[in-house]
Structure formats: structure tokens, C-alpha cells
Amino acid sequence: RICVVGSVNMDLVVATPVLPVPGQTVLGGPFATHPGGKGANQAVAAARAGGQVSFVGRVGADAFGDTLRAGLEAEGIDIAHLRVAPEEPTGVALIAVDPSGQNTIIVAPGANAAVTVDDVDAAAERITGADVLLLQLEVPLEVVAHAAALAAEAGVRVVLNTAPAQPLPDDLLACCEYLILNETEAEILTGVLPTDWESAEVAAARLREYGARQVIVTLGARGAVLAGPDGVVPQPAFPVASRDAVGAGDAFVGTFSVGVGSGLAAPEALRRAAAAGALATLTSGAQPSLPTAAAVDAFLAE
Ligand code: ADP
């Protein structure tokens, strides 16, 4: 059982021949909406990985919120604590993509910024009854810290994906069993840009000095490194004909959380996570690319 306290967004994506400069209006191409938000994406990843997932968060009382709630429910996720809060609109990300794949993104957090410590307390049973509490940094930091403390006190393992990166209080780090971060986040948090196994180890070691027990740095097409009390475990990436990296990180984090939550040893959970990350690069978009447990099994059996 996995409990996610996190963000839910609707991604509003438009193709554009060029990214506009300030003051410019550009006539764009096709427009599409995609469910997103790191919290929701990782909850879906965990559900497809075989986890029994509950979600704690907020959407607005609007059409995007209704669609997003229905989408999570269709994945089998318990949304009893995904509140509909009329004061704020549902979070949206405004995304423009040019033909080379470069993008600009503005996130309007809306209801995600209105998640409160009381929301967490109202969902305390879901959190303390879980095997893993999975967190990101797209809801207020005090909410993340409160949820982590509640879980840690109950002996529930906390997995924190430090995205988007921001300075973390020591007492939050002390509650986390696993920190998962990518290269950019590692650089922001440690000053070390991991470009290979050695520098990833250095970055992870630095985070462990700050109080994190186990640290996983993901290195895109190079794989991932786990550093913990039992030493360092390198996990090379699985070679695939990758198309679009969007969703790889979310697949990795959701799958890893289900792995450790279901009692796998960390290196085996890491291997499944890397397989899920690789599979996610074969399909465009975030949620459409998140693989099922069966797909990961089949891939690993190849
Ligand atoms: P994020 O999306 O957060 O930047 P990464 O790009 O580091 O995360 O991807 C997470 C994991 O997914 C990696 O550690 C790796 O195991 C897997 N992965 C990502 N890109 C590729 C790729 N091109 N080929 C194979 N595996 C990949």
C-alpha cells in the first residue's frame, strides 16, 4: 500500500513553430490537454506497478478537477482524500513546445498550493496504514514535512522525490528513508552536477551527510545510483530505443516505491524502477508512458 501526498495538474500543451519572446503573439499548432502533476503521475505509476494507492491532495471545483479525479479513480486509486476545494482553481501547467522539442512551462499551482497540514491530518489513517508514503515538492513544504513526520513516527517508510528542487529542512531529511533525485536536482541541492557514477556518488554522499538515509540519483540514459548504509549500488540503464524521456522519472519513482513497499530488497526495487523508466521512454507523454507491472516483468524476462 502506497499513500501519495502531492500535486495534480492539467497540462495544457500547444505546439508552436517558435517559442514567443516577450510581447510577441505566435500562431500555434494543435492543442492538447494531458493529466499531470508529479504527485498524480507517480500515483498512477505506482498503481500500474501493482500498488494499492491512495492520494491526498486538492483540485478545484472545476472541469479540470473533475476530469483529473475521474482519471485517477479509473486507475484504481483511492481518491477519498483528494479534496475538491472551491477556493482555488485546479493546478495547470501551460506548456509550449517548438519543433525541436524545446519547451517553456509555466505552472499555476492553484489548488496544489492550498493543500494544508489539516488535509494531511484528515488522511492520517491512510498515511499510517501505508507501507510507503511517497512525496514530491509540488505542494507546500510544511505539508510535505508534516506528512513525512507523521509517517516516520508510525514506522512508515518515506520516499521523497525532491522535485522541483528546493532547500530541505534537516528534520524533513531525517524522516526520509529514500531520497530520489535527478541530475539537475542533485546539482541544486548539493552543488555537485552528477555526470557519471563517481560524481553521482559524491552528490549522494553529500545528501547523506545532511541526514538522508538512502539516496538515489537518476542519471537518465546512464541509469541510477543508490547510496545507503550498505554501500553503493550502481544500476545501469536498460538500453532501449528511447523516444521521449517525459515520464521516465515518474515511472522510476512510482515503481521503486511499490518495490520497497512490497518487501523487495532495494537493489531489486531499483532494477524494476530502471526497467520502468526505460519503458516509459518508448512512449510520448507522462501518464500514457507509465508501464504496468506485467510490462516490466515481460521486459526483464527478455
Ligand atoms: P527525470 O525524468 O526525473 O529527469 P531520469 O531522466 O533520470 O529522470 O530517468 C529516470 C530513470 O529512467 C533513469 O534512472 C533510467 O533508469 C531510466 N531512463 C531514463 N532515460 C532513459 C533512456 N534514454 N534509456 C534507458 N533508461 C532511461
Side-chain angles (χ1 to χ4, degrees), residues 182-183 185 218-221 223-224 237-240 242 245 248-250 252 273-274 277-278 281:
N182 67 15
E183 294 123 308
E185 292 147 14
T218 66
L219 300 166
F238 291 94
V240 289
S242 108
D250 292 330
F252 183 99
T281 71

Side-chain angles (χ1 to χ4, degrees), residues 87-236:
E87 312 86 59
E88 294 287 343
T90 296
V92 294
L94 308 175
I95 305 175
V97 188
D98 79 7
S100 74
Q102 290 231 80
N103 59 31
T104 61
I105 304 179
I106 303 172
V107 175
N112 297 306
V115 179
T116 64
V117 163
D118 289 345
D119 293 348
V120 169
D121 286 336
E125 255 177 51
R126 296 294 199 287
I127 294 170
T128 58
D131 299 298
V132 169
L133 173 67
L134 173 55
L135 300 165
Q136 312 78 26
L137 299 173
E138 288 188 334
V139 294
L141 192 57
E142 58 164 357
V143 172
V144 173
H146 184 70
L150 196 65
E153 204 171 300
V156 174
R157 265 170 297 196
V158 177
V159 176
L160 172 61
N161 175 219
T162 58
Q166 53 182 283
L168 299 173
D170 290 350
D171 50 351
L172 169 57
L173 285 174
C175 291
C176 296
E177 180 65 32
Y178 292 100
L179 286 193
I180 305 181
L181 56 172
N182 67 15
E183 294 123 308
T184 326
E185 292 147 14
E187 183 180 26
I188 292 170
L189 289 176
T190 68
V192 178
L193 175 65
T195 52
D196 52 24
W197 301 115
E198 287 75 28
S199 45
E201 265 186 66
V202 173
R206 196 160 291 185
L207 283 160
R208 295 196 62 230
E209 279 166 26
Y210 299 157
R213 275 178 52 73
Q214 315 212 40
V215 178
I216 298 173
V217 180
T218 66
L219 300 166
R222 283 192 297 273
V225 181
L226 164 71
D230 304 329
V232 175
V233 181
Q235 172 62 58

Side-chain angles (χ1 to χ4, degrees), residues 11 33-36 41 44 48 75 244 246-247 251 279-292:
D11 292 347
T33 57
H34 302 293
N41 290 348
V44 170
R48 292 193 191 156
E75 296 285 342
D244 164 29
V246 175
L279 285 171
T281 71
L282 301 178
T283 310
S284 307
Q287 292 188 13
S289 69
L290 302 170
T292 60

